[in-house]
Amino acid sequence: MNQERLLIIGHGMAATRLLQQLTEGGYGGSITVIGDEGGVGYNRIQLTPWLAGEVSEASLNLVDDAWYRHHRIYRVNGDAVASLDPDGLVTLSTGRTLAFDTAVLATGALPRFPDLPFPPQPAIRAFRSKADGHWLKALPRGQSVVVIGGGLLGLEAAWGLRARGHSVSLVHRNGHLMNRQLSAPTAALLAGAMSQAGITIHLGCELRRINANPVIESVELTNGEILNARVLIAAAGIQPNQHLAQQAGLGVHRGVLIDDQMRTSHPRVFALGECAEFNGETFGLVAPAYEQADVLASVLCGRPAHWSPLQSTTRLKISGLDVVSHGRIDHPDARHLTLNAPGRNQCRRLHFLNDRLIGAEMIGLRSHLELYQRLIEQQTPINDARAVMLGNMKAA
Ligand SMILES: Cc1cc2nc3c(=O)[nH]c(=O)nc-3n(C[C@H](O)[C@H](O)[C@H](O)COP(=O)(O)OP(=O)(O)OC[C@H]3O[C@@H](n4cnc5c(N)ncnc54)[C@H](O)[C@@H]3O)c2cc1C
């Protein structure tokens, strides 16, 4: 019998997928998973629809308690790993120690807070966990909320909070929303739709000061404006949570350095998901974390596999407003083809480099997305860009 003791540190989306793949792949060792949040693995990306009241809390769960029992997965809930000795021992914040033969770091990422002085308080927080969601859901209606960051997380948080009846302002450093996934014209349409929903958008500025006495009252922007703020949500990016790896002397840069089998610099320790860095890249979406989990499960089950990142699709989960971006939308030499119906909040913009499709952004028009994804992944030569736009592409 295989006596290998596998220990997974962090019990988020990557860890849960890894557990599922290990059980399906017939992993023979014993498995322990340690999560500081408590509960079963849940779908973090559904936190926004839950905040907005569109789905139930129970529907977030990826598995149930019986599933862990059935697969004899031992859970340590609501306790954090405080230190890691890569030669085979972790110490929890409660002082308890656990030995392992192989460990996997799946500690996710931490939100970036504004680099400004403020007294610590619950009203200045991120929106990353069920605990954050519970706190935000308990707020009485009509609060002044400022969300920092006009990327996916900030927009979704702003939307969810607006849906709960708060007065929401969103501050974004760049001149247009979702600047890493959308070009300026598409983002302008999105900004219009957010404004129609009652969210006030402040572009091209940052926070200069947080006025708190000691509870937050307002914020001052770099353009001089002062916004009332009873709650401040930090959604201006994340940083890989690589503290344990760093303290353990593993190779780290922005994230925990891994190879294409998720191995860190120590032979007993693997890492995956948002805490990891591969070939200079870190990943803030669930698709690469799941792909890594699938490969790592194969490796741990004794079936060598290798991972290479694919282009990920970004989707905004805002009800009634379908926003999708795939591939590269910022190549300076790309040609664009745009189909616009601003009155209906619809837009489709394709980016071509030479005779290849390299990026696609869409608002309100989801059709042909799979074709675009395939053409981008396979780098298929294209001789009729308009036909592609209309979904009529036959392989050249
Ligand atoms: C509101 C929201 C919406 C999102 N929407 C999308 C989306 O639409 N599409 C998309 O692709 N991605 C989305 N994401 C990102 C996606 O959720 C992450 O990419 C994914 O969860 C990464 O999985 P992970 O396991 O690496 O990290 P996580 O899911 O964050 O899990 C890490 C876990 O480890 C725990 N942990 C950390 N340190 C320790 C320790 N020392 N001991 C014990 N436990 C520890 C953390 O508390 C956490 O529970 C969204 C994220 C948020 C917050």
Side-chain angles (χ1 to χ4, degrees):
M1 189 179 152
N2 184 347
Q3 294 300 319
E4 175 95 359
R5 293 161 301 174
L6 176 65
L7 187 77
I8 302 174
I9 304 169
H11 190 187
M13 294 192 75
T16 307
R17 172 73 165 216
L18 177 63
L19 290 169
Q20 289 170 320
Q21 295 298 102
L22 286 169
T23 54
E24 274 180 30
Y27 180 75
S30 73
I31 307 176
T32 299
V33 59
I34 305 169
D36 58 2
E37 287 192 70
V40 300
Y42 67 88
N43 189 343
R44 201 173 298 283
I45 72 180
Q46 286 294 97
L47 284 175
T48 314
W50 173 53
L51 177 67
E54 292 159 10
V55 301
S56 69
E57 183 175 357
S59 73
L60 303 184
N61 294 344
L62 293 167
V63 281
D64 58 20
D65 284 313
W67 182 84
Y68 293 89
R69 282 197 299 277
H70 176 73
H71 292 289
R72 297 178 185 199
I73 295 167
Y74 178 62
R75 273 186 294 162
V76 178
N77 261 341
D79 199 352
V81 173
S83 72
L84 164 69
D85 171 354
D87 289 322
L89 198 73
V90 294
T91 307
L92 307 187
S93 51
T94 46
R96 185 175 162 198
T97 55
L98 288 169
F100 64 83
D101 297 302
T102 302
V104 177
L105 284 162
T107 48
L110 300 169
R112 275 185 215 281
F113 281 89
D115 192 13
L116 293 170
F118 59 86
Q121 56 192 286
I124 301 180
R125 64 190 307 136
F127 175 45
R128 253 207 90 79
S129 64
K130 273 190 186 175
D132 294 326
H134 279 295
W135 192 87
L136 291 169
K137 277 165 105 61
L139 275 180
R141 284 173 77 86
Q143 303 293 310
S144 302
V145 182
V146 173
V147 176
I148 307 298
L152 176 94
L153 296 184
L155 287 166
E156 289 194 359
W159 187 272
L161 289 161
R162 180 71 196 129
R164 297 198 69 76
H166 300 301
S167 164
V168 182
S169 304
L170 184 138
V171 179
H172 187 48
R173 187 186 347 189
N174 198 278
H176 71 265
L177 297 174
M178 284 184 77
N179 49 289
R180 287 164 69 185
Q181 294 92 8
L182 298 180
S183 56
T186 320
L189 201 71
L190 172 61
M194 298 295 282
S195 302
Q196 278 165 24
I199 296 164
T200 313
I201 310 262
H202 303 263
L203 294 171
C205 54
E206 296 179 60
L207 287 202
R208 178 187 286 157
R209 197 192 329 268
I210 298 172
N211 299 318
N213 187 24
V215 174
I216 181 167
E217 290 166 358
S218 63
V219 295
E220 188 180 326
L221 306 185
T222 44
N223 63 9
E225 273 187 88
I226 296 188
L227 309 178
N228 282 339
R230 292 291 164 189
V231 176
L232 180 70
I233 302 295
I238 52 171
Q239 47 200 352
N241 183 358
Q242 36 93 317
H243 299 308
L244 281 176
Q246 192 168 29
Q247 161 259 315
L250 306 183
V252 295
H253 179 232
R254 276 188 300 148
V256 187
L257 300 177
I258 55 167
D259 69 7
D260 63 359
Q261 294 192 317
M262 278 36 87
R263 288 177 202 281
T264 68
S265 57
H266 193 285
R268 281 192 186 211
V269 185
F270 295 78
L272 83 170
E274 283 186 346
C275 68
E277 175 176 336
F278 175 75
N279 274 350
E281 255 192 284
T282 55
F283 304 88
L285 293 173
V286 79
Y290 276 8
E291 292 157 17
Q292 291 174 346
D294 296 355
V295 169
L296 178 53
S298 285
V299 170
L300 294 173
C301 289
R303 290 186 290 276
H306 299 270
W307 178 65
S308 56
L310 296 170
Q311 302 259 20
S312 289
T313 302
T314 305
R315 283 197 172 86
L316 205 58
K317 297 177 302 304
I318 285 181
S319 58
L321 190 67
D322 216 358
V323 180
V324 180
S325 166
H326 186 89
R328 243 196 113 172
I329 54 89
D330 59 353
H331 198 295
D333 301 326
R335 285 181 305 115
H336 313 120
L337 199 58
T338 308
L339 193 68
N340 239 337
R344 279 184 282 163
N345 279 342
Q346 290 182 339
C347 167
R348 178 178 300 171
R349 190 168 163 90
L350 300 184
H351 300 248
F352 296 91
L353 188 63
N354 303 320
D355 62 347
R356 313 288 151 119
L357 183 64
I358 58 165
E361 359 165 16
M362 304 158 82
I363 295 191
L365 292 165
R366 183 74 81 80
S367 52
H368 317 317
L369 174 63
E370 280 174 19
L371 170 69
Y372 303 154
Q373 287 169 323
R374 201 170 63 243
L375 294 175
I376 292 169
E377 291 306 334
Q378 296 173 356
Q379 283 296 283
T380 313
I382 286 162
N383 48 27
D384 187 347
R386 278 170 206 284
V388 168
M389 171 68 93
L390 299 172
N392 293 332
M393 170 77 183
K394 294 194 189 71

